[in-house]
Amino acid sequence: MGTRIDGKALAAKTCESLQAVVGSLSKEGPAPGLHVILVGDDPASRVYVGSKARKAESIGIRSELTVLPEGTSYGELEDRIGALNADESVDGILVQLPLPNLPTRDVLDLVAPEKDVDGFHPINAGLLLQKRPRFVPCTPLGVLAMLDAYGVETSGKNALVIGRSDIVGKPMGALLTHRNATVTIAHSRTVDLEQQVGEAEILVVAMGRMRSVPARWIRPGATVIDVGIHRMEDKKLTGDVHPDGLEERAAFYTPVPGGVGPMTIAMLMVNTTLAAVLRRGGDPSLLSDLIPSV
Ligand code: NAP
């Protein structure tokens, strides 16, 4: 039987340690501040935004929200993000995705790199590629923290990342490469996914296709990280990996829910605090126990 990687517990532990750092920063100045922009009325986005705000407040991070109506123009967003970039009280800016009928890449480029706590700005993406990271996208950073917490060795291992998005797949591939894994990135044009999966000692699945990787494809003893999140007809959440037989097959595996999701939010809180420290000329090593080394 494999070991279940408890993302919920690890996220709680991370946030508890972070609270102490936030507490000491808040004695010297304003608490770190996160500003979230939500465009439109997507119910799932509202839920995500709400849970980010509650987590921030529980740690002592100030959390503010701008809600803009669906139909907001690029120009209006440009003005709003410009104002937040210039606002000294804002340390981190997050634009909740998906953005309805807006050019997502152009909008994300508007966020000042030093407030880009999602790590999506090309400058932060470039810094990660060059192995001198500043803000690393929260989901892959959370995955790395989970691998570290459970002592999963990456060096010299065959790692397969399924998905090549800018948000998950590509930065995950970069992180695993920096950690000396031999990385393959699969995508929708990959010819024989089953064969690729069968060779992976570390498998990160971020394809956005419900239960598409059956346990029988997985190499026995592999570590399996499931980034996918989907709501089934019975309203329960599930991932991109089929859970049947997974715990018998994998040495380590993440559940859905309770795996990658909570760690993503925890890393957003870490990145927001890092933004505050860096903007105030503080010592980023305050956070070195909470940010996996790259
Ligand atoms: P995305 O932008 O839709 O990217 C999906 C990737 O999967 C693409 O690169 C696509 O290939 C690839 N893909 C699709 N079908 C495939 C197939 N049959 N075989 C191999 N590759 C295939 O998604 P994302 O933003 O990276 O997110 C992925 C999943 O993670 C989603 O379910 C999302 O909801 C979830 N997610 C969860 C969290 C969390 O906190 N738990 C955070 C972020 C995302 P092409 O490039 O060729 O199209």
Side-chain angles (χ1 to χ4, degrees):
M1 287 298 240
T3 300
R4 182 172 164 274
I5 297 180
D6 189 343
K8 199 173 164 191
L10 187 59
K13 202 171 140 210
T14 303
C15 290
E16 199 184 307
S17 307
L18 186 62
Q19 198 169 2
V21 179
V22 169
S24 64
L25 276 176
S26 307
K27 280 189 193 129
E28 294 155 18
L34 173 67
H35 198 109
V36 177
I37 299 175
L38 174 65
V39 183
D41 213 15
D42 177 49
S45 291
R46 279 207 171 262
V47 171
Y48 289 137
V49 164
S51 53
K52 286 167 189 171
R54 278 192 301 281
K55 183 55 73 186
E57 279 152 23
S58 75
I59 294 170
I61 293 174
R62 286 174 298 117
S63 159
E64 291 175 317
L65 175 66
T66 293
V67 183
L68 297 169
E70 191 158 350
T72 296
S73 68
Y74 173 80
E76 286 163 330
L77 257 181
E78 190 175 27
D79 289 347
R80 185 68 192 123
I81 295 174
L84 294 170
N85 285 342
D87 184 341
E88 275 306 312
S89 74
V90 174
D91 292 301
I93 300 171
L94 180 150
V95 180
Q96 183 64 40
L97 301 180
L99 280 172
N101 305 316
L102 282 158
T104 302
R105 185 70 264 169
D106 294 343
V107 171
L108 295 176
D109 287 358
L110 295 170
V111 176
E114 63 277 9
K115 296 190 178 186
D116 169 40
V117 288
D118 253 340
F120 296 163
H121 192 283
I123 288 192
N124 288 317
L127 288 171
L128 170 60
L129 265 188
Q130 294 179 353
K131 206 180 171 190
R132 44 189 188 133
R134 180 169 49 185
F135 299 116
V136 176
C138 303
T139 299
L141 192 62
V143 170
L144 201 60
M146 289 195 284
L147 295 177
D148 286 352
Y150 281 80
V152 175
E153 179 60 77
T154 52
S155 183
K157 303 291 182 199
N158 280 335
L160 175 68
V161 179
I162 309 182
R164 57 176 166 185
S165 70
D166 291 343
I167 295 169
V168 187
K170 280 183 206 152
M172 191 73 246
L175 288 170
L176 289 167
T177 303
H178 296 331
R179 286 294 189 86
N180 300 319
T182 302
V183 178
T184 302
I185 300 205
H187 44 72
S188 64
R189 308 291 175 89
T190 295
V191 172
D192 191 343
L193 191 63
E194 177 175 353
Q195 189 214 332
Q196 295 291 342
V197 170
E199 287 172 12
E201 294 166 288
I202 297 172
L203 174 65
V204 181
V205 188
M207 58 199 285
R209 301 263 181 272
M210 185 163 85
R211 295 190 165 182
S212 295
V213 175
R216 67 184 149 76
W217 286 10
I218 291 165
R219 176 174 165 152
T223 294
V224 180
I225 307 287
D226 190 351
V227 178
I229 183 148
H230 310 274
R231 200 168 284 283
M232 294 185 292
E233 274 181 13
D234 63 5
K235 306 274 183 242
K236 288 192 181 140
L237 293 175
T238 193
D240 285 353
V241 179
H242 205 298
D244 287 355
L246 178 61
E247 63 184 319
E248 289 82 25
R249 195 86 173 172
F252 294 93
Y253 66 96
T254 57
V256 179
V260 173
M263 280 306 286
T264 296
I265 296 186
M267 288 300 147
L268 173 65
M269 302 301 135
V270 169
N271 275 351
T272 301
T273 309
L274 176 64
V277 170
L278 291 174
R279 290 185 64 250
R280 294 165 200 188
D283 178 5
S285 71
L286 277 172
L287 291 159
S288 53
D289 290 347
L290 299 175
I291 302 178
S293 63
V294 175

